[in-house]
Amino acid sequence: MAASCFRRRIAAQLSNVLEMPPDNLMKSIHAIPVSKKRQAADFQFFVSSVLDASKLPKSDIQLQTQRLAEQLKCDNVVSEISTGEGRINFTINRELLAKSVLQQVFQDGSEYGIKSELFSGLPRRKILIEFSSPNIAKKFHVGHLRSTIIGNFIANLKEAIGHHVTRMNYLGDWGMQFGLLGTGFQQFGSEEKLKLNPLQHLVEVYVEANKAAEEDETIKKMAQDFFRKLEAHEEEALSLWQRFRDVSIEEYVRMYKRLGVYFDEYSGESFYQEKCQEVLKMLDTKDLLKKTKEGTGIVYLPEKGDQSYSAVVRNDGTSLYITRDLAAAIDRMDRCYPDTMIYVTDKSQISHFQQLFQILKLMGHKWAERCRHVPFGRVQGMKTRKGEVVFLEDVLDEASSMVLERMASTKTTKELVNPLETAQRVGLAALIIQDFKGLLSSDYQFSWDRVLQSQGDTGVFVQYTHARLHSLEEKFGKVSQVSHINPACLQDPQAISLIQHLLRYDEILYQSSQDLQPKHIVLYLLALSRLAAVAHKVLPVKGSVPELAEARISLFQAARSILANGMKLLGITPITKM
Ligand code: ARG
């Protein structure tokens, strides 16, 4: 019996008094967050959730709260009932609390929190999530990094709670940039460099070709010509393009591996040149396609106001970014029939996706309502010591080399079998925790110093805590079951706080699954790390009598297990030594 069962027990009592079905009350009963002012109570129920509080003066709510509380009774599960402002607090029998939480954690393992009643009855959905989506031959900027780690988190979370997830990468692999790239490569490209360092070489060629085209009309013409050949699927142009695409994907895959990210499908804008024509035809048949004086094909968007429209075809007949997205969305729906399609990009594309979903709706695709754009804010100042970041690898390398330096200068650092791998995992954890700490839509200023602090609210601290808890298990042995643990040994305030915190995990997962914000989990794990560190300090295992030692080890093991579960959801691989 843990969180769900306690909530159900409390709901049953409330339901008797309030004459409301217990199911309606379950979601209004919350485990109380652990705070510095240590709380004795474990759960709270806000009376305003069942009263129409807006109509009542405060004093009335308080009166109702008192009255309701007086009608509730303690029993062998609930040992104390008290009231606070507008809420009723419930304290669970101390030993029962400790025992049940530990038992649940050990029993459910990696599914702790997910097996909670909060997720029961959740229909299993098919979810297609598109994220990362870099542009070939252009820089893999911080926005792509954010899209990658956020998309990966959402995919992990959805999968963990039982949905069927398809992870898709939609490459920017078509457009005029390939005209420049093709011509540029023929002029000053190098086969050798392309093999050695494809992403970098392609960006170099692209930048140089761009400059050349600005200075020289003939280069510009050649580039246009190359793109025209590409669009006409001429063999030579197409095979060069195919090579650029292949070597880029190979590099991306290698890079994603460092991030612990994978995709089920690599799609891209190039897939939809022909299908764009079908989309335009459909728009025309439905009388949605209009022409401007200049000959641009547009679709009016009445939802956004009378005069607003979206351009879908240039006057020379070529498609636009949104046209390809229309074709891609329809194709994804036809092929996979997902219940939900999620797109993760920075917030500069909010309006693009609004237009996309609106046009789909105008075309009669009801499923457009089940499409969702998850926008995120900008990061300023992500630089390496060498200067501006061009490739994702630069950031990852910088993070791990800084961690390595710091590890080398710390006395407590252990002899590691693979220090580089540890540094990479710590570095990545630092980047992810920093990035996920706030609301996704907020912008933030990046600072290596802040990200890498070993004591602050950082990924370094979380990894460090995990490693320390893990080493306890190595030193004193792993507990495999807790039925014989004496819960009376876990009644110190620091132990209780930790247990109360573990009790809340399902609510945190639920919150993140609802609004897709990783910050709930991040703040939870940071608090868990702090609580575990304090408990570790005051509740020694070494030197305690066996019964006490074993109870403490199981508590620390439970904390570590949840820390690891949460980290994995965020896309972090927990380390075992540091
Ligand atoms: N390649 C685009 C960019 O870098 C992002 C693609 C987002 N996805 C989409 N379906 N439009 O800005």
Side-chain angles (χ1 to χ4, degrees):
M1 194 206 259
S4 291
C5 304
F6 291 137
R7 261 185 235 115
R8 181 146 291 282
R9 191 66 181 236
I10 295 168
Q13 273 222 43
L14 287 167
S15 134
N16 281 336
V17 178
L18 292 165
E19 290 173 1
M20 282 174 75
D23 282 342
N24 298 4
L25 298 163
M26 285 286 280
K27 283 199 176 132
S28 308
I29 300 164
H30 299 284
I32 301 177
V34 177
S35 68
K36 287 223 178 73
K37 274 201 297 157
R38 226 165 240 131
Q39 273 270 4
D42 306 303
F43 287 93
Q44 59 192 359
F45 172 74
F46 284 94
V47 178
S48 56
S49 65
V50 289
L51 298 176
D52 192 353
S54 57
K55 293 204 190 100
L56 289 175
K58 237 187 180 160
S59 54
D60 274 14
I61 298 181
Q62 205 49 30
L63 204 66
Q64 300 273 9
T65 306
Q66 293 295 354
R67 238 181 245 155
L68 179 55
E70 275 156 24
Q71 293 174 75
L72 301 169
K73 284 183 195 68
C74 293
D75 53 21
N76 54 355
V77 174
V78 176
S79 63
E80 205 184 315
I81 297 171
S82 65
T83 55
E85 205 176 300
R87 61 170 198 268
I88 304 178
N89 302 320
F90 300 86
T91 306
I92 305 296
N93 172 310
R94 285 358 246 152
E95 295 195 3
L96 183 64
L97 179 78
K99 189 143 199 144
S100 337
V101 170
L102 288 192
Q103 245 163 14
Q104 196 82 57
V105 176
F106 276 77
Q107 188 182 315
D108 291 351
S110 62
E111 297 200 318
Y112 177 74
I114 288 161
K115 284 194 160 174
S116 157
E117 213 164 303
L118 292 176
F119 293 104
S120 70
L122 188 82
R124 198 180 140 87
R125 299 268 189 236
K126 244 174 125 173
I127 297 171
L128 193 151
I129 160 157
E130 186 224 277
F131 60 105
S132 196
S133 309
N135 304 317
I136 291 177
K138 290 197 183 161
K139 121 181 186 181
F140 191 109
H141 54 68
V142 192
H144 295 121
L145 170 60
R146 284 204 89 183
S147 171
T148 309
I149 59 180
I150 294 167
N152 184 52
F153 159 71
I154 297 175
N156 289 346
L157 181 63
K158 293 278 185 194
E159 211 158 58
I161 61 180
H163 298 300
H164 179 278
V165 174
T166 304
R167 297 156 187 252
M168 182 181 274
N169 198 329
Y170 179 72
L171 300 173
D173 60 357
W174 203 249
M176 250 322 276
Q177 86 228 43
F178 286 92
L180 280 167
L181 196 61
T183 313
F185 191 77
Q186 286 168 341
Q187 309 249 327
F188 30 74
S190 141
E191 283 295 338
E192 209 177 315
K193 285 188 185 163
L194 185 67
K195 263 204 205 94
L196 227 56
N197 208 337
L199 294 188
Q200 185 169 341
H201 188 53
L202 289 181
V203 171
E204 280 162 9
V205 170
Y206 178 66
V207 170
E208 203 169 330
N210 226 341
K211 212 168 84 209
E214 269 166 30
E215 288 159 5
D216 186 347
E217 271 297 310
T218 46
I219 304 259
K220 198 169 164 187
K221 279 252 153 55
M222 282 164 77
Q224 281 162 351
D225 211 40
F226 190 96
F227 187 56
R228 197 189 42 70
K229 284 185 190 154
L230 201 54
E231 291 233 286
H233 290 196
E234 278 186 28
E235 174 107 28
E236 203 193 337
L238 203 60
S239 89
L240 194 56
W241 167 84
Q242 187 70 50
R243 266 191 40 231
F244 293 158
R245 191 176 192 272
D246 291 347
V247 290
S248 299
I249 292 183
E250 227 173 88
E251 278 285 284
Y252 289 142
V253 171
R254 199 178 54 76
M255 211 170 63
Y256 289 134
K257 215 164 171 190
R258 280 185 71 176
L259 288 172
V261 171
Y262 70 92
F263 291 90
D264 299 301
E265 214 179 306
Y266 279 85
S267 171
E269 295 183 40
S270 66
F271 287 35
Y272 297 106
Q273 314 148 51
E274 267 116 68
K275 287 220 165 72
C276 277
Q277 297 311 314
E278 289 169 31
V279 168
L280 292 172
K281 224 181 269 156
M282 272 189 269
L283 286 169
D284 198 28
T285 335
K286 294 191 193 271
D287 204 24
L288 293 165
L289 187 64
K290 306 288 173 199
K291 278 240 148 61
T292 63
K293 275 202 288 309
E294 296 76 26
T296 309
I298 60 168
V299 175
Y300 281 102
L301 303 168
E303 255 183 63
K304 287 196 116 185
D306 271 358
Q307 285 316 305
S308 67
Y309 63 82
S310 170
V312 291
V313 55
R314 293 202 188 86
N315 58 9
D316 63 0
T318 52
S319 64
L320 289 142
Y321 181 50
I322 195 162
T323 333
R324 296 191 279 275
D325 255 329
L326 285 164
I330 295 169
D331 175 57
R332 288 174 199 180
M333 223 2 129
D334 285 348
R335 275 187 311 121
C336 322
Y337 209 76
D339 297 290
T340 311
M341 288 208 269
I342 298 176
Y343 298 82
V344 187
T345 77
D346 73 48
K347 59 190 183 190
S348 70
Q349 299 202 34
I350 288 180
S351 151
H352 167 77
F353 284 102
Q354 281 172 349
Q355 294 181 22
L356 173 65
F357 303 155
Q358 268 174 38
I359 298 177
L360 288 168
K361 248 188 262 170
L362 289 172
M363 292 173 85
H365 297 302
K366 284 228 168 59
W367 48 259
E369 275 160 25
R370 292 183 272 122
C371 294
R372 177 163 175 189
H373 176 221
V374 177
F376 54 81
R378 283 172 197 257
V379 183
Q380 275 112 22
M382 194 185 269
K383 288 205 175 75
T384 68
R385 284 169 287 190
K386 278 197 234 112
E388 215 208 341
V389 173
V390 180
F391 301 103
L392 174 62
E393 300 244 78
D394 300 339
V395 189
L396 299 181
D397 289 344
E398 184 82 349
S400 58
S401 75
M402 284 196 181
V403 172
L404 267 182
E405 283 166 28
R406 282 165 201 237
M407 280 176 10
S409 66
T410 319
K411 279 193 242 77
T412 53
T413 302
K414 307 266 183 324
E415 281 286 327
L416 298 172
V417 187
N418 193 344
L420 188 64
E421 189 182 89
T422 302
Q424 291 202 356
R425 289 185 176 163
V426 174
L428 183 57
L431 292 173
I432 291 180
I433 294 284
Q434 161 70 37
D435 198 79
F436 287 180
K437 239 196 264 178
L439 270 183
L440 292 181
S441 59
S442 324
D443 303 331
Y444 72 88
Q445 185 71 35
F446 187 84
S447 132
W448 285 108
D449 269 341
R450 213 179 29 234
V451 166
L452 294 174
Q453 276 168 18
S454 57
Q455 287 303 319
D457 283 345
T458 63
V460 182
F461 175 55
V462 174
Q463 284 284 30
Y464 179 65
T465 307
H466 184 272
R468 273 183 76 192
L469 293 174
H470 192 271
S471 73
L472 272 183
E473 282 165 39
E474 276 185 344
K475 226 183 275 165
F476 301 105
K478 225 174 148 126
V479 180
S480 56
Q481 49 152 317
V482 287
S483 49
H484 60 286
I485 294 291
N486 181 359
C489 293
L490 296 173
Q491 299 304 317
D492 310 84
Q494 297 83 358
I496 295 277
S497 290
L498 194 49
I499 290 166
Q500 285 178 323
H501 195 61
L502 301 186
L503 186 65
R504 278 184 79 217
Y505 188 57
D506 64 339
E507 289 185 36
I508 301 298
L509 290 182
Y510 186 74
Q511 232 176 335
S512 277
S513 75
Q514 291 298 298
D515 63 10
L516 303 185
Q517 296 286 340
K519 73 166 207 177
H520 310 299
I521 297 176
V522 167
L523 298 179
Y524 177 87
L525 296 182
L526 288 167
L528 175 56
S529 303
R530 280 192 301 269
L531 290 167
V534 171
H536 188 205
K537 208 181 285 164
V538 297
L539 309 172
V541 175
K542 199 171 148 188
S544 300
V545 295
E547 189 187 37
L548 187 58
E550 200 175 2
R552 288 179 177 172
I553 296 175
S554 23
L555 176 60
F556 290 129
Q557 197 175 313
R560 188 200 59 75
S561 150
I562 295 171
L563 194 58
N565 293 349
M567 288 164 84
K568 287 181 202 155
L569 280 182
L570 298 176
I572 298 171
T573 310
I575 57 164
T576 50
K577 269 204 179 69
M578 188 164 163

